[in-house]
Structures are given as C-alpha cells and as structure tokens.
Amino acid sequence: MNIEEAHDLCISQPYATEDMPFGDDAIAFRVGGKIFALMMLMRNEQLSLKCAPELSEELRASHTSIQPAWHLNKRHWIQIDLNGTDINNALVTELIEHAHNLVLHKLSQTQLAELYKMKR
C-alpha cells in the first residue's frame, strides 16, 4: 500500500476528518476530535496508528516494518513503514480500522450523538 492509498483509507473511515495541527508536514486523522492516525509527509511512506498495547507489542515482535511511533507514546502507537516487505495491504487496512475503532469506542454517548447529527 502506498501513502496515497493509506490516506484514502484513513479518511474513508466512518466520521473521519483530517487536519494539520502540527504544521504542513503532518496530517492528523481524527474521529470525534481524537487522533487515530498520523501521516508524516516528510517521513515518506510512514504511517503512525493508535494501537492496543498488547497488539502493539505482538506486531513489533513479528514485523520489522512496524516500530514504536516516533514522538508518540510508544505503548499506544505504532509506526508502519509502508514500503516494508513483511507487511501487506490487508494488514495495513486491518490496523487502520483497528486504530479508528479504538478511538471511536472510547467516545462518550454525547460525542457519538454529535457525530451522528453531523453526518445527516
């Protein structure tokens, strides 16, 4: 998966938005105002994703293309080298969906109701 495909998949998640809160070289993907993915434009072909701590450890142990995320909480964030030879599109898709769902399921009922109203 290339960086454009990863971008399209992140923004296609339900209720996802994007912005650039850290300057022109980073795109943040959010759901309910909370970040689930970061794409650093200066670090081409790398995507940082929110991840459950247990899964994060397992992924880093079994894939050299998945590392602790740069400048983020290493326990809760992973960084994927999209050019890595030991990952495939299905895994990247699964991890983007996992990151989105982690954040979505932690939103309050009020936040979820606001998201639903915005999409009507």
Side-chain angles (χ1 to χ4, degrees):
M1 181 175 297
N2 65 37
I3 200 76
E4 291 86 12
E5 293 168 326
H7 173 276
D8 292 347
L9 187 56
C10 286
I11 198 62
S12 72
Q13 297 302 300
Y15 310 108
T17 61
E18 66 180 296
D19 64 350
M20 300 177 99
F22 307 114
D24 294 341
D25 64 337
I27 301 173
F29 297 93
R30 300 174 187 259
V31 61
K34 307 279 187 195
I35 297 174
F36 70 90
L38 277 172
M39 189 173 283
M40 302 302 291
L41 302 177
M42 301 304 277
R43 300 185 73 170
N44 199 18
E45 306 300 326
Q46 293 189 349
L47 178 66
S48 296
L49 297 170
K50 186 90 171 174
C51 191
E54 313 78 42
L55 179 59
S56 174
E57 289 177 23
E58 179 183 317
L59 289 166
R60 290 192 301 246
S62 59
H63 299 279
T64 59
S65 300
I66 299 176
Q67 299 295 318
W70 188 63
H71 282 306
L72 297 167
N73 183 320
K74 310 294 189 243
R75 182 167 153 76
H76 295 279
W77 286 85
I78 56 172
Q79 181 172 288
I80 302 171
D81 178 358
L82 296 172
N83 291 324
T85 57
D86 63 340
I87 58 168
N88 57 42
N89 289 358
L91 178 60
V92 175
T93 299
E94 181 181 326
L95 293 174
I96 289 171
E97 291 170 353
H98 169 75
H100 174 266
N101 287 331
L102 270 179
V103 174
L104 183 65
H105 287 96
K106 289 193 176 195
L107 296 177
S108 70
Q109 291 299 318
T110 304
Q111 290 170 309
L112 290 171
E114 285 299 315
L115 285 177
Y116 181 70
K117 279 192 236 175
M118 290 172 33
K119 283 293 184 174
R120 282 186 157 190

